[in-house]
Amino acid sequence: MTEPALNAPNAPAYQGGGRAIARMAVSAATFAIDKPYDYVIPAELRDKAVPGIRAIVPFGRGNKKKEAVILSVEPSSEYANLKEINELLDDTPVLDEETIKLALWMSDRFFCTVFEALRAMLPAGMWFKDGVQRQRDKTVAIASLGIDPEEAKIIASQRRKRAPQQAAVLEFMADAGSMPVKDIVYHTGAPAGSVTALARLGALTLEEREVYRRPPAPRAEDKGPITLNDEQIAAYSSILPMLRGGAPAAALLHGVTGSGKTMVYIKLIEETLSMGKTAIVLVPEIALTPQMVAVFTQHFGDSVAVLHSALGTGERYDEWKRIRTGAVRVVVGTRSAVFAPLENIGLIVLDEEQEHTYKSESSPRYHAREVAKYRVTRAGALLLMSSATPSVESMHNARIGKYSLFSIANRYNEMELPPVIITDMKEELKDGNAGILSYTLRAEIESNLLAGEQSILFVNRRGTSPLVTCGHCGYVFRCERCSVPMTYHSANGRMLCHYCGYSLPLPPACPDCDSSLRFVGAGTQKVEAELLEIFPDASVIRMDADSVSRLNSHEKLLSKFREGGAQILLGTQMVTKGLDFENVTLAGVLSADSMLYMSDYRAYEKAFSLITQVIGRSGRGGKQGRAVIQTFNPRHEIVLLASRQDYDGFYERELALRETLGSPPVRDLISLAVSGLNEMAVISACSALKEMLLGYFRGARGVKILGPAPAYVAKVNNRFRYRLLISCDNNKKVRQTVAHVMRLFTGDIRSRGVTVFADTDPYD
């Protein structure tokens, strides 16, 4: 898409005497027809119609009212018959020039519409539905004394018998001066009507004042000023010139688990703020934000804001507004916090940079790392990526010199990394143990319980059993909408599809032959039940998507564990990274095998990272930790590498495999996914799309088109999914060609009944 000219966001829309034209991104425009649309600005709106303002416009043959954003204002248009803007939705711009440029870049980079990119940058409460904004500013009524305090006391004494409640209010306000009406009512016992009556008399003045809905600020133990050890000082001192340089830079901080990478962030942020600049710290999981916010609030006070999807709509909206006003200098949050409207950015930190949660699964399918690169490039800032298990792509970029590489090889507390026991579950079966927990892990947990120490256990699946089948006829409960088995959840006695949400009650016997059912595999609920059966006096906290669905529930569970309210923390991926509990001396991986055999070229990388990160939760305080890995394949190379925390060995092995496969970081991948209700129509459309791509890329060096092939889950919510993979160098010319073919394809008769979208370096 050609980038339109942009006016300064606070400048008048148009100064000439003719008509003024708004070039707009319209919500109803699909990718196939996405472009800036021209609209006439009515004369009465010209002073307010500037770039970054949202508006309602007529769109399409039916002139349906749709939301749009002004990208630029021009004196003329190449089109003769233009429609007019219906109304403006903002008094001042909600998006600035840099944000609009970012959206235009995203539309090219991630195959999305400009409006989709802009929508991702604003809090959900700001968008309109059926012409109504979902979230309003919160205000409170403030009463202030409108007369001299001494006069107020005189009037109060005169009205004590006739209007005792008004007298009480006046006496209170003579000392308070100004206060919210609800607080006056609370302190005096007088009704709000007494305050209103005094305002009518002129004794008080009333005004509505905006207040910010703030998420509760978690508290961290005050450990005094940050003191870095020698390795941290070396890393900090080497990174510091990049921060001060004023030129765009990218660095990778590779530090073992427990090496104190967060302390290096804090020192760098202190320097960033001293330079008069701002910082963003991204974390991969909502569960990590309370801990991070607590640490950063302790050091930077009220200038810290938090952004993540678990906030209430009003809280997220108000945190965004606080950031825009300039009251915030440090933003901590998950993926979408990369769009925080901070000015003068000096540093963006990507903590646990390898995590797949930084990649959006819906349009715009952006990766936070790529958006962060764009922002630091525009701002002349530093991007600091950090992990104990960096992604293969980032480490490759560091090894070839695109990023600067810094390492911390030892733990901050000078303790050794946890020794690891690998338990062969085949031998457990031979010994008569058909349970989920090995004899070894049971003994280690019991030892911790007796010592008053805590344990963290990782299970890769939620629910009770990933597979329910008939032992006689082989019947498997599969989702009728998706091509996946359903998972049994004992908490509600239902079978549940984790892709579309479809559920049904578990029958007492096989629906086909009335035989007994078998429960195969173990999820978090089943593990929890076995733990409580073996250790009935133990307190267990389960953290998974089922247990943390309520607002701030993850924070409450982690706080309870931190304060010693439970001995065992059991969970899915949300307990594997970033958490720092001093009393945890045992970490357990209950089923390493389930991560090793997925149809994804990143399967080994994910498995190595998760196992390594789980092990790293142990022994972070003053006590030596240890870990147990349960597996049916104890000699698997990935299990052995993770048990030794041998990242370099893993990286060399994995890079050689990627070179053979032609996958990132050696080659880029662009996925074109086609979906529809009829499987044969989807396959036919996918083949037609491949034919068109081959025509455009014929003779192009280094471009391979693979497929069609079913997606990892071939049917979701009654829609069949097939895809093509383009192995290539992801440059602008390739992206423009793919986008052009997609637009042509949507107009082809063979595309009827199907949808197509593109994704760069997909994670599924």
Side-chain angles (χ1 to χ4, degrees):
M1 178 182 294
T2 302
E3 184 176 304
L6 296 172
N7 301 123
N10 296 317
Y14 178 64
Q15 304 294 334
R19 66 178 184 171
I21 307 299
R23 190 157 291 169
M24 312 189 75
V26 183
S27 60
T30 62
F31 182 76
I33 60 172
D34 188 41
K35 64 177 183 179
Y37 286 85
D38 289 357
Y39 284 86
V40 174
I41 303 173
E44 65 274 15
L45 300 179
R46 288 185 185 177
D47 289 341
K48 292 185 177 181
V50 297
I53 290 280
R54 296 169 302 159
I56 298 295
V57 299
F59 190 80
R61 293 181 180 178
N63 286 328
K64 292 184 178 179
K65 292 184 177 181
K66 298 295 180 181
E67 194 169 356
V69 176
I70 299 177
L71 302 176
S72 66
V73 177
E74 310 295 340
S76 62
S77 171
E78 60 182 294
Y79 305 104
N81 299 316
L82 297 179
K83 300 172 184 178
E84 284 193 349
I85 294 174
N86 292 135
E87 62 176 308
L88 301 180
L89 299 177
D90 306 303
D91 293 325
T92 58
V94 295
L95 299 159
D96 61 16
E97 182 178 353
E98 278 300 312
T99 304
I100 293 173
K101 286 182 177 178
L102 172 57
L104 294 165
W105 174 82
M106 288 178 63
S107 71
D108 165 72
R109 186 69 177 76
F110 303 116
F111 300 99
C112 65
T113 70
V114 175
F115 190 87
E116 286 171 334
L118 292 169
R119 189 181 184 93
M121 300 175 195
L122 294 178
M126 291 192 66
W127 295 104
F128 283 68
K129 186 175 182 181
D130 300 324
V132 178
Q133 185 168 329
R134 294 168 56 189
Q135 189 62 53
R136 301 288 184 183
D137 295 339
K138 181 180 180 181
T139 60
V140 296
I142 302 291
S144 301
L145 196 62
I147 55 179
D148 183 80
E150 291 302 320
E151 184 180 355
K153 290 178 180 179
I154 293 172
I155 296 175
S157 64
Q158 294 172 345
R159 303 178 71 84
R160 190 165 288 118
K161 291 184 179 180
R162 189 169 42 140
Q165 292 171 326
Q166 291 183 17
V169 170
L170 278 174
E171 287 178 339
F172 179 77
M173 293 299 291
D175 296 322
S178 179
M179 186 168 288
V181 171
K182 66 176 184 178
D183 291 343
I184 298 171
V185 170
Y186 173 80
H187 287 292
T188 65
S194 296
V195 179
T196 305
L198 289 169
R200 285 197 297 267
L201 292 172
L204 299 178
T205 60
L206 292 177
E207 64 171 327
E208 290 292 322
R209 189 177 299 170
E210 183 181 359
V211 294
Y212 292 127
R213 288 153 287 204
R214 299 286 310 279
R219 294 182 180 179
E221 180 185 351
D222 188 356
K223 298 181 180 179
I226 293 290
T227 302
L228 303 183
N229 62 23
D230 290 344
E231 280 194 292
Q232 291 171 321
I233 291 171
Y236 169 75
S237 300
S238 299
I239 297 170
L240 195 58
M242 302 174 68
L243 179 67
R244 291 173 173 170
L252 177 62
L253 178 60
H254 178 205
V256 298
T257 55
S259 59
K261 295 182 288 294
T262 302
M263 300 167 75
V264 177
Y265 309 161
I266 291 171
K267 295 297 288 185
L268 289 169
I269 292 172
E270 287 177 349
E271 179 64 21
T272 301
L273 301 189
S274 73
M275 295 162 56
K277 296 187 176 183
T278 59
I280 298 174
V281 180
L282 299 178
V283 294
E285 295 276 359
I286 291 172
L288 296 181
T289 52
Q291 177 176 292
M292 279 291 198
V293 171
V295 171
F296 285 103
T297 300
Q298 176 190 328
H299 289 277
F300 305 113
D302 204 41
S303 66
V304 176
V306 56
L307 290 176
H308 58 72
S309 58
L311 296 180
T313 305
E315 290 175 335
R316 190 173 176 87
Y317 175 55
D318 285 357
E319 286 288 86
W320 179 86
K321 286 192 298 180
R322 273 207 321 132
I323 298 167
R324 283 195 80 217
T325 64
V328 170
R329 303 183 70 195
V330 180
V331 173
V332 179
T334 49
R335 181 178 63 223
S336 62
V338 74
F339 300 117
L342 283 174
E343 293 186 355
N344 201 17
I345 292 176
L347 174 67
I348 298 180
V349 175
L350 205 66
D351 187 46
E352 305 292 355
E353 68 84 32
Q354 81 285 354
E355 282 301 316
H356 70 279
T357 49
Y358 285 125
K359 181 76 159 63
S360 171
E361 295 179 353
S362 59
S363 192
R365 293 175 175 82
Y366 67 92
H367 196 295
R369 180 175 56 231
E370 302 307 308
V371 176
K373 286 180 185 177
Y374 176 92
R375 295 200 72 179
V376 299
T377 299
R378 299 285 299 183
L382 170 65
L383 170 61
L384 178 62
M385 296 159 282
S386 174
S387 178
T389 55
S391 64
V392 175
E393 291 92 332
S394 291
M395 181 55 74
H396 179 69
N397 283 332
R399 295 278 179 95
I400 65 174
K402 286 187 177 180
Y403 306 157
S404 298
L405 178 61
F406 307 97
S407 299
I408 303 178
N410 299 290
R411 286 190 151 189
Y412 179 75
N413 61 6
E414 299 181 355
M415 299 288 284
E416 294 293 325
L417 287 167
V420 177
I421 305 168
I422 300 177
T423 302
D424 187 346
M425 297 303 288
K426 296 192 300 295
E427 295 300 320
E428 293 282 327
L429 287 173
K430 291 178 184 178
D431 291 342
N433 180 13
I436 306 164
L437 303 177
S438 64
Y439 291 135
T440 301
L441 186 55
R442 291 185 190 185
E444 295 296 335
I445 293 172
E446 184 173 13
S447 175
N448 259 29
L449 292 173
L450 292 173
E453 296 169 4
Q454 295 174 300
S455 308
I456 290 180
L457 305 180
F458 165 62
V459 187
N460 202 34
R461 296 179 183 274
R462 62 188 174 105
T464 302
S465 294
L467 186 68
V468 180
T469 183
C470 175
H472 180 70
C473 71
Y475 177 88
V476 173
F477 286 87
R478 289 186 174 274
C479 177
E480 63 180 35
R481 303 173 184 172
C482 308
S483 57
V484 293
M486 302 176 75
T487 299
Y488 175 58
H489 287 245
S490 58
N492 57 7
R494 298 184 72 86
M495 302 296 297
L496 177 66
C497 175
H498 289 173
Y499 284 86
C500 72
Y502 174 73
S503 72
L504 52 82
L506 178 72
C510 174
D512 276 6
C513 69
D514 207 35
S515 299
S516 298
L517 296 172
R518 293 177 59 236
F519 298 86
V520 181
T524 49
Q525 290 180 14
K526 190 172 183 178
V527 176
E528 180 183 30
E530 184 167 311
L531 280 167
L532 293 174
E533 182 180 344
I534 298 171
F535 307 108
D537 296 327
S539 177
V540 180
I541 290 176
R542 174 170 57 87
M543 282 192 69
D544 54 29
D546 299 316
S547 64
V548 299
S549 57
R550 296 182 301 276
L551 187 64
N552 294 324
S553 53
H554 61 283
E555 183 177 338
K556 294 174 183 176
L557 293 175
L558 291 175
S559 294
K560 179 180 178 181
F561 187 69
R562 184 183 301 280
E563 293 163 5
Q567 292 85 45
I568 302 171
L569 176 62
L570 162 72
T572 51
Q573 293 187 26
M574 58 184 70
V575 305
T576 64
K577 61 191 79 74
L579 301 177
D580 192 352
F581 301 110
E582 292 189 353
N583 198 37
V584 171
T585 56
L586 174 65
V589 179
L590 270 61
S591 180
D593 307 281
S594 63
M595 299 177 282
L596 294 171
Y597 304 108
M598 302 179 71
S599 59
D600 176 1
Y601 73 89
R602 288 189 176 94
Y604 286 170
E605 179 180 2
K606 292 176 182 176
F608 176 84
S609 178
L610 281 169
I611 296 171
T612 302
Q613 295 281 354
V614 175
I615 294 169
R617 297 313 104 206
S618 177
R620 299 172 75 93
K623 305 171 186 175
Q624 178 64 49
R626 73 264 191 223
V628 175
I629 301 174
Q630 297 186 170
T631 175
F632 285 92
N633 194 352
R635 296 180 181 175
H636 196 290
E637 191 173 2
I638 297 301
V639 173
L640 294 174
L641 288 167
S643 70
R644 298 195 299 265
Q645 305 273 290
D646 184 3
Y647 177 83
D648 290 337
F650 161 76
Y651 171 78
E652 296 298 338
R653 178 195 186 281
E654 187 68 10
L655 186 64
L657 180 62
R658 302 285 181 91
E659 287 173 342
T660 302
L661 295 174
S663 56
V666 180
R667 304 290 293 165
D668 296 312
L669 292 177
I670 297 177
S671 166
L672 276 79
V674 180
S675 67
L677 298 174
N678 183 291
E679 186 173 16
M680 291 309 298
V682 171
I683 295 172
S684 176
C686 214
S687 298
L689 182 59
K690 180 177 182 178
E691 180 185 323
M692 295 174 69
L693 287 166
L694 286 171
Y696 275 88
F697 283 113
R698 186 169 288 114
R701 295 183 61 184
V703 176
K704 293 182 180 180
I705 303 174
L706 310 173
Y712 173 61
V713 179
K715 187 174 76 167
V716 173
N717 208 12
N718 290 324
R719 294 186 68 86
F720 294 92
R721 310 191 307 168
Y722 281 72
R723 71 177 182 179
L724 304 171
L725 280 177
I726 305 174
S727 177
C728 61
D729 177 14
N730 183 5
N731 56 43
K732 191 174 184 69
K733 185 176 181 180
V734 168
R735 291 194 301 272
Q736 287 178 337
T737 302
V738 172
H740 178 68
V741 171
M742 289 175 63
R743 293 186 175 103
L744 286 179
F745 178 70
T746 57
D748 192 295
I749 192 171
R750 293 172 292 183
S751 70
R752 290 184 180 177
V754 303
T755 58
V756 60
F757 69 82
D759 191 9
T760 57
D761 291 340
Y763 272 64
D764 59 4

